Amino acid sequence: MCGIAGMFGTPDSNTKVKKMLAILGHRGPDACGIHTEGKLSIGNTLLKITGDMPQPLTGTGSLVLNGEIYNFRELAAEIGLKTDSDTELLFTLIERKVRKGIKPTNAVFSVLSKVNGDYALAYACGTELVLARDPSGVKPLFYFYEKSMVKPGLAFASEKKALAFTGREVKPFPQGGIMGFSTENGKIAEKFTEKSLKITQPEKRISAEKEAIIYLKAALEKAVELRLTPVSGIAFSGGIDSTFLAALAKRIDPYVSLYAVGLPDSHDIAQAEYAAEAIGMKRNLKTHFLSPEEIEAVVPEVIYATESTDPMKVAIGLPLHIVAKTAREEGKRVILTGQGADELFGGYSRHEGFFEQGVDVLDREIYSDLENISAINLERDDMVAMANSVELRVPFLDKEVIKTGLAINPELKVRKKEGAYIRKYILRTAAEDLLPPKILWKEKKAVQYGTGVQKTLDRLARDYGFSKKQGGHIEKYLSQIASEKGFDFINER
């Protein structure tokens, strides 16, 4: 996990990218590197997890990568490459294709088509710059480009705040997108936009419950195994998603730490304690008791990290921010979360309404949720974790888990029995041999309510003088904090 940044279009691109990397320093405290060729500079801030390979990597072209390639050892073995670096493997595969005369954009597309991982990258070669992002958008990437040479023509970075000084309208790079930009003759032009690694609906569907359980459990077991490291922990709320992950992780690492946060009398603390004991991991649980004073103190940090004063983003991001901070203090560099399970298996209350409209509607909406998961959830989660130099890994968004999950018929995801709905039915059923019924079939509170954070923000906003009756009091409070702290890069509302 790292931070990446780059700029094309000005003679001082090197200086500008150094400034961007300084802003992204929290994403990679272990090293910082930059490569400049003409008016193009690309750079990286490194958080060492897989291997110890400084970036950018240079050869025929140059590469910066933010992310993890989970099947890199398998791909390395196929070409006889001995390496402990996923970045080196990716660079080697791309370079080999380029040296054979394959255009850089096509080379990147071909290589990433074989990859199971989460990534945002930039590859520069000759007069072409290629940007790419994983299909779920687990790793963030923002950019702008203009053909005009009055100002820098192109810039990209892992976080929007690193691009704020340009004064340009910055937008998120599309999930699964691959774009090649021509830098020929000192001008910038978008060249290839048709390349995409977008998530697609599988042709073959799984309708039998037993078959679905077998394939889903196998895919999820492998996804957890690929993501666990000696410096891993699990964000743990005691709900079905995090408890299932913990039970699977226990088989691989019986000592893996579970991190729970909440006010002392909160639902999530009680649920996490019950769930940890139920799966024999009581000793693994690390509980951080929040206080109103601590919540108030970290609100500015969360606003800065999420680049937002949106009440929901802050309320959801704050507990994970504390989890990551706690884990980092214990030497952890990786946290697994259950993000993606609700989207893939119909876990939201709105999915009940879609079910009532027909299974085809539910199927379509689940796919739509996955298409938009980055902007709604993943960018926020990545940023609050990386504010503490901790990488998030999401087993439910593993390539094979998504493939299997989408193949499972929607009627196995939402069930209606005796007038009551069972959401994420197939996921709960797949965990039956690992979890007790009280966890399997219980609906969990949303994190902002389960931890007590939402209630505390409500009180803080009123204490700050904003009336609840007038509406939007929490957002007004957050906007006031952002203004007082000088967070000028926040302009969403």
PDB file of all heavy atoms in Angstrom, residues 104-128:
ATOM      1  N   PRO A 104       1.769   0.298 -24.745  1.00  0.00           N
ATOM      2  CA  PRO A 104       1.695   0.305 -23.276  1.00  0.00           C
ATOM      3  C   PRO A 104       0.298   0.093 -22.708  1.00  0.00           C
ATOM      4  O   PRO A 104       0.124  -0.666 -21.759  1.00  0.00           O
ATOM      5  CB  PRO A 104       2.246   1.695 -22.930  1.00  0.00           C
ATOM      6  CG  PRO A 104       3.215   1.984 -24.014  1.00  0.00           C
ATOM      7  CD  PRO A 104       2.592   1.422 -25.256  1.00  0.00           C
ATOM      8  N   THR A 105      -0.712   0.753 -23.287  1.00  0.00           N
ATOM      9  CA  THR A 105      -2.065   0.582 -22.763  1.00  0.00           C
ATOM     10  C   THR A 105      -2.525  -0.857 -22.902  1.00  0.00           C
ATOM     11  O   THR A 105      -3.115  -1.436 -21.973  1.00  0.00           O
ATOM     12  CB  THR A 105      -3.056   1.515 -23.482  1.00  0.00           C
ATOM     13  OG1 THR A 105      -2.631   2.859 -23.337  1.00  0.00           O
ATOM     14  CG2 THR A 105      -4.455   1.374 -22.897  1.00  0.00           C
ATOM     15  N   ASN A 106      -2.257  -1.467 -24.050  1.00  0.00           N
ATOM     16  CA  ASN A 106      -2.646  -2.854 -24.265  1.00  0.00           C
ATOM     17  C   ASN A 106      -1.850  -3.801 -23.373  1.00  0.00           C
ATOM     18  O   ASN A 106      -2.366  -4.815 -22.903  1.00  0.00           O
ATOM     19  CB  ASN A 106      -2.449  -3.233 -25.731  1.00  0.00           C
ATOM     20  CG  ASN A 106      -3.388  -2.490 -26.655  1.00  0.00           C
ATOM     21  OD1 ASN A 106      -4.481  -2.093 -26.243  1.00  0.00           O
ATOM     22  ND2 ASN A 106      -2.991  -2.297 -27.899  1.00  0.00           N
ATOM     23  N   ALA A 107      -0.596  -3.461 -23.132  1.00  0.00           N
ATOM     24  CA  ALA A 107       0.244  -4.286 -22.265  1.00  0.00           C
ATOM     25  C   ALA A 107      -0.289  -4.275 -20.839  1.00  0.00           C
ATOM     26  O   ALA A 107      -0.398  -5.323 -20.190  1.00  0.00           O
ATOM     27  CB  ALA A 107       1.686  -3.790 -22.289  1.00  0.00           C
ATOM     28  N   VAL A 108      -0.622  -3.093 -20.337  1.00  0.00           N
ATOM     29  CA  VAL A 108      -1.173  -2.981 -18.982  1.00  0.00           C
ATOM     30  C   VAL A 108      -2.494  -3.727 -18.883  1.00  0.00           C
ATOM     31  O   VAL A 108      -2.737  -4.475 -17.916  1.00  0.00           O
ATOM     32  CB  VAL A 108      -1.363  -1.499 -18.595  1.00  0.00           C
ATOM     33  CG1 VAL A 108      -2.135  -1.372 -17.288  1.00  0.00           C
ATOM     34  CG2 VAL A 108      -0.011  -0.807 -18.472  1.00  0.00           C
ATOM     35  N   PHE A 109      -3.344  -3.573 -19.874  1.00  0.00           N
ATOM     36  CA  PHE A 109      -4.638  -4.267 -19.873  1.00  0.00           C
ATOM     37  C   PHE A 109      -4.453  -5.780 -19.859  1.00  0.00           C
ATOM     38  O   PHE A 109      -5.112  -6.494 -19.093  1.00  0.00           O
ATOM     39  CB  PHE A 109      -5.451  -3.851 -21.093  1.00  0.00           C
ATOM     40  CG  PHE A 109      -6.736  -4.619 -21.266  1.00  0.00           C
ATOM     41  CD1 PHE A 109      -7.836  -4.334 -20.461  1.00  0.00           C
ATOM     42  CD2 PHE A 109      -6.842  -5.623 -22.212  1.00  0.00           C
ATOM     43  CE1 PHE A 109      -9.018  -5.046 -20.608  1.00  0.00           C
ATOM     44  CE2 PHE A 109      -8.023  -6.334 -22.368  1.00  0.00           C
ATOM     45  CZ  PHE A 109      -9.116  -6.049 -21.560  1.00  0.00           C
ATOM     46  N   SER A 110      -3.558  -6.275 -20.685  1.00  0.00           N
ATOM     47  CA  SER A 110      -3.319  -7.717 -20.773  1.00  0.00           C
ATOM     48  C   SER A 110      -2.830  -8.285 -19.449  1.00  0.00           C
ATOM     49  O   SER A 110      -3.295  -9.331 -18.996  1.00  0.00           O
ATOM     50  CB  SER A 110      -2.298  -8.003 -21.879  1.00  0.00           C
ATOM     51  OG  SER A 110      -1.985  -9.389 -21.931  1.00  0.00           O
ATOM     52  N   VAL A 111      -1.915  -7.584 -18.813  1.00  0.00           N
ATOM     53  CA  VAL A 111      -1.355  -8.060 -17.545  1.00  0.00           C
ATOM     54  C   VAL A 111      -2.397  -8.007 -16.431  1.00  0.00           C
ATOM     55  O   VAL A 111      -2.582  -8.969 -15.677  1.00  0.00           O
ATOM     56  CB  VAL A 111      -0.111  -7.240 -17.158  1.00  0.00           C
ATOM     57  CG1 VAL A 111       0.335  -7.576 -15.731  1.00  0.00           C
ATOM     58  CG2 VAL A 111       1.025  -7.501 -18.142  1.00  0.00           C
ATOM     59  N   LEU A 112      -3.112  -6.889 -16.322  1.00  0.00           N
ATOM     60  CA  LEU A 112      -4.080  -6.739 -15.244  1.00  0.00           C
ATOM     61  C   LEU A 112      -5.269  -7.688 -15.392  1.00  0.00           C
ATOM     62  O   LEU A 112      -5.941  -7.999 -14.399  1.00  0.00           O
ATOM     63  CB  LEU A 112      -4.570  -5.296 -15.167  1.00  0.00           C
ATOM     64  CG  LEU A 112      -3.527  -4.263 -14.740  1.00  0.00           C
ATOM     65  CD1 LEU A 112      -4.139  -2.866 -14.673  1.00  0.00           C
ATOM     66  CD2 LEU A 112      -2.912  -4.627 -13.389  1.00  0.00           C
ATOM     67  N   SER A 113      -5.507  -8.165 -16.590  1.00  0.00           N
ATOM     68  CA  SER A 113      -6.588  -9.126 -16.808  1.00  0.00           C
ATOM     69  C   SER A 113      -6.333 -10.432 -16.067  1.00  0.00           C
ATOM     70  O   SER A 113      -7.270 -11.182 -15.756  1.00  0.00           O
ATOM     71  CB  SER A 113      -6.755  -9.411 -18.307  1.00  0.00           C
ATOM     72  OG  SER A 113      -7.149  -8.248 -19.005  1.00  0.00           O
ATOM     73  N   LYS A 114      -5.066 -10.711 -15.758  1.00  0.00           N
ATOM     74  CA  LYS A 114      -4.698 -11.950 -15.061  1.00  0.00           C
ATOM     75  C   LYS A 114      -4.525 -11.757 -13.559  1.00  0.00           C
ATOM     76  O   LYS A 114      -4.272 -12.714 -12.830  1.00  0.00           O
ATOM     77  CB  LYS A 114      -3.386 -12.488 -15.642  1.00  0.00           C
ATOM     78  CG  LYS A 114      -3.441 -12.829 -17.119  1.00  0.00           C
ATOM     79  CD  LYS A 114      -2.079 -13.309 -17.603  1.00  0.00           C
ATOM     80  CE  LYS A 114      -2.106 -13.637 -19.085  1.00  0.00           C
ATOM     81  NZ  LYS A 114      -0.775 -14.100 -19.573  1.00  0.00           N
ATOM     82  N   VAL A 115      -4.665 -10.529 -13.118  1.00  0.00           N
ATOM     83  CA  VAL A 115      -4.340 -10.176 -11.736  1.00  0.00           C
ATOM     84  C   VAL A 115      -5.549 -10.313 -10.815  1.00  0.00           C
ATOM     85  O   VAL A 115      -6.668  -9.954 -11.188  1.00  0.00           O
ATOM     86  CB  VAL A 115      -3.791  -8.726 -11.692  1.00  0.00           C
ATOM     87  CG1 VAL A 115      -3.933  -8.117 -10.319  1.00  0.00           C
ATOM     88  CG2 VAL A 115      -2.351  -8.706 -12.151  1.00  0.00           C
ATOM     89  N   ASN A 116      -5.302 -10.829  -9.620  1.00  0.00           N
ATOM     90  CA  ASN A 116      -6.283 -10.780  -8.541  1.00  0.00           C
ATOM     91  C   ASN A 116      -5.699  -9.855  -7.478  1.00  0.00           C
ATOM     92  O   ASN A 116      -4.763 -10.226  -6.774  1.00  0.00           O
ATOM     93  CB  ASN A 116      -6.526 -12.173  -7.957  1.00  0.00           C
ATOM     94  CG  ASN A 116      -7.579 -12.167  -6.853  1.00  0.00           C
ATOM     95  OD1 ASN A 116      -8.223 -11.145  -6.592  1.00  0.00           O
ATOM     96  ND2 ASN A 116      -7.765 -13.307  -6.198  1.00  0.00           N
ATOM     97  N   GLY A 117      -6.230  -8.653  -7.412  1.00  0.00           N
ATOM     98  CA  GLY A 117      -5.643  -7.702  -6.474  1.00  0.00           C
ATOM     99  C   GLY A 117      -6.399  -6.400  -6.422  1.00  0.00           C
ATOM    100  O   GLY A 117      -7.398  -6.193  -7.116  1.00  0.00           O
ATOM    101  N   ASP A 118      -5.911  -5.519  -5.575  1.00  0.00           N
ATOM    102  CA  ASP A 118      -6.459  -4.174  -5.409  1.00  0.00           C
ATOM    103  C   ASP A 118      -5.341  -3.200  -5.769  1.00  0.00           C
ATOM    104  O   ASP A 118      -4.258  -3.270  -5.187  1.00  0.00           O
ATOM    105  CB  ASP A 118      -6.890  -3.938  -3.969  1.00  0.00           C
ATOM    106  CG  ASP A 118      -7.794  -5.055  -3.443  1.00  0.00           C
ATOM    107  OD1 ASP A 118      -8.627  -5.541  -4.224  1.00  0.00           O
ATOM    108  OD2 ASP A 118      -7.653  -5.422  -2.254  1.00  0.00           O
ATOM    109  N   TYR A 119      -5.593  -2.273  -6.697  1.00  0.00           N
ATOM    110  CA  TYR A 119      -4.484  -1.453  -7.171  1.00  0.00           C
ATOM    111  C   TYR A 119      -4.958  -0.172  -7.841  1.00  0.00           C
ATOM    112  O   TYR A 119      -6.081  -0.043  -8.323  1.00  0.00           O
ATOM    113  CB  TYR A 119      -3.654  -2.237  -8.201  1.00  0.00           C
ATOM    114  CG  TYR A 119      -4.505  -2.835  -9.304  1.00  0.00           C
ATOM    115  CD1 TYR A 119      -4.911  -2.066 -10.399  1.00  0.00           C
ATOM    116  CD2 TYR A 119      -4.936  -4.156  -9.245  1.00  0.00           C
ATOM    117  CE1 TYR A 119      -5.715  -2.596 -11.390  1.00  0.00           C
ATOM    118  CE2 TYR A 119      -5.738  -4.694 -10.238  1.00  0.00           C
ATOM    119  CZ  TYR A 119      -6.131  -3.925 -11.299  1.00  0.00           C
ATOM    120  OH  TYR A 119      -6.951  -4.450 -12.277  1.00  0.00           O
ATOM    121  N   ALA A 120      -4.054   0.801  -7.800  1.00  0.00           N
ATOM    122  CA  ALA A 120      -4.125   1.990  -8.648  1.00  0.00           C
ATOM    123  C   ALA A 120      -2.688   2.192  -9.106  1.00  0.00           C
ATOM    124  O   ALA A 120      -1.761   2.130  -8.289  1.00  0.00           O
ATOM    125  CB  ALA A 120      -4.629   3.196  -7.880  1.00  0.00           C
ATOM    126  N   LEU A 121      -2.473   2.409 -10.389  1.00  0.00           N
ATOM    127  CA  LEU A 121      -1.099   2.487 -10.896  1.00  0.00           C
ATOM    128  C   LEU A 121      -0.970   3.479 -12.032  1.00  0.00           C
ATOM    129  O   LEU A 121      -1.948   3.884 -12.660  1.00  0.00           O
ATOM    130  CB  LEU A 121      -0.613   1.104 -11.342  1.00  0.00           C
ATOM    131  CG  LEU A 121      -1.317   0.411 -12.519  1.00  0.00           C
ATOM    132  CD1 LEU A 121      -0.789   0.899 -13.870  1.00  0.00           C
ATOM    133  CD2 LEU A 121      -1.133  -1.097 -12.435  1.00  0.00           C
ATOM    134  N   ALA A 122       0.282   3.838 -12.271  1.00  0.00           N
ATOM    135  CA  ALA A 122       0.636   4.659 -13.429  1.00  0.00           C
ATOM    136  C   ALA A 122       1.874   4.052 -14.066  1.00  0.00           C
ATOM    137  O   ALA A 122       2.851   3.741 -13.375  1.00  0.00           O
ATOM    138  CB  ALA A 122       0.914   6.093 -13.009  1.00  0.00           C
ATOM    139  N   TYR A 123       1.812   3.864 -15.374  1.00  0.00           N
ATOM    140  CA  TYR A 123       2.950   3.336 -16.129  1.00  0.00           C
ATOM    141  C   TYR A 123       3.247   4.307 -17.270  1.00  0.00           C
ATOM    142  O   TYR A 123       2.369   4.617 -18.086  1.00  0.00           O
ATOM    143  CB  TYR A 123       2.638   1.957 -16.694  1.00  0.00           C
ATOM    144  CG  TYR A 123       3.737   1.376 -17.565  1.00  0.00           C
ATOM    145  CD1 TYR A 123       4.928   0.923 -17.002  1.00  0.00           C
ATOM    146  CD2 TYR A 123       3.586   1.294 -18.958  1.00  0.00           C
ATOM    147  CE1 TYR A 123       5.936   0.388 -17.790  1.00  0.00           C
ATOM    148  CE2 TYR A 123       4.587   0.766 -19.753  1.00  0.00           C
ATOM    149  CZ  TYR A 123       5.761   0.321 -19.172  1.00  0.00           C
ATOM    150  OH  TYR A 123       6.770  -0.208 -19.960  1.00  0.00           O
ATOM    151  N   ALA A 124       4.466   4.829 -17.290  1.00  0.00           N
ATOM    152  CA  ALA A 124       4.886   5.768 -18.325  1.00  0.00           C
ATOM    153  C   ALA A 124       5.917   5.102 -19.221  1.00  0.00           C
ATOM    154  O   ALA A 124       6.867   4.473 -18.730  1.00  0.00           O
ATOM    155  CB  ALA A 124       5.480   7.018 -17.701  1.00  0.00           C
ATOM    156  N   CYS A 125       5.721   5.233 -20.519  1.00  0.00           N
ATOM    157  CA  CYS A 125       6.658   4.631 -21.462  1.00  0.00           C
ATOM    158  C   CYS A 125       6.649   5.430 -22.758  1.00  0.00           C
ATOM    159  O   CYS A 125       5.600   5.571 -23.401  1.00  0.00           O
ATOM    160  CB  CYS A 125       6.284   3.180 -21.739  1.00  0.00           C
ATOM    161  SG  CYS A 125       7.466   2.296 -22.788  1.00  0.00           S
ATOM    162  N   GLY A 126       7.805   5.967 -23.134  1.00  0.00           N
ATOM    163  CA  GLY A 126       7.879   6.763 -24.357  1.00  0.00           C
ATOM    164  C   GLY A 126       6.998   7.983 -24.253  1.00  0.00           C
ATOM    165  O   GLY A 126       7.144   8.800 -23.340  1.00  0.00           O
ATOM    166  N   THR A 127       6.070   8.097 -25.171  1.00  0.00           N
ATOM    167  CA  THR A 127       5.165   9.250 -25.167  1.00  0.00           C
ATOM    168  C   THR A 127       3.771   8.871 -24.668  1.00  0.00           C
ATOM    169  O   THR A 127       2.784   9.522 -25.005  1.00  0.00           O
ATOM    170  CB  THR A 127       5.058   9.844 -26.585  1.00  0.00           C
ATOM    171  OG1 THR A 127       4.555   8.832 -27.484  1.00  0.00           O
ATOM    172  CG2 THR A 127       6.395  10.345 -27.074  1.00  0.00           C
ATOM    173  N   GLU A 128       3.703   7.825 -23.882  1.00  0.00           N
ATOM    174  CA  GLU A 128       2.399   7.383 -23.391  1.00  0.00           C
ATOM    175  C   GLU A 128       2.416   7.196 -21.874  1.00  0.00           C
ATOM    176  O   GLU A 128       3.366   6.661 -21.305  1.00  0.00           O
ATOM    177  CB  GLU A 128       1.997   6.070 -24.064  1.00  0.00           C
ATOM    178  CG  GLU A 128       0.531   5.720 -23.861  1.00  0.00           C
ATOM    179  CD  GLU A 128       0.057   4.613 -24.802  1.00  0.00           C
ATOM    180  OE1 GLU A 128       0.632   4.479 -25.902  1.00  0.00           O
ATOM    181  OE2 GLU A 128      -0.883   3.892 -24.431  1.00  0.00           O
TER     182      GLU A 128
END
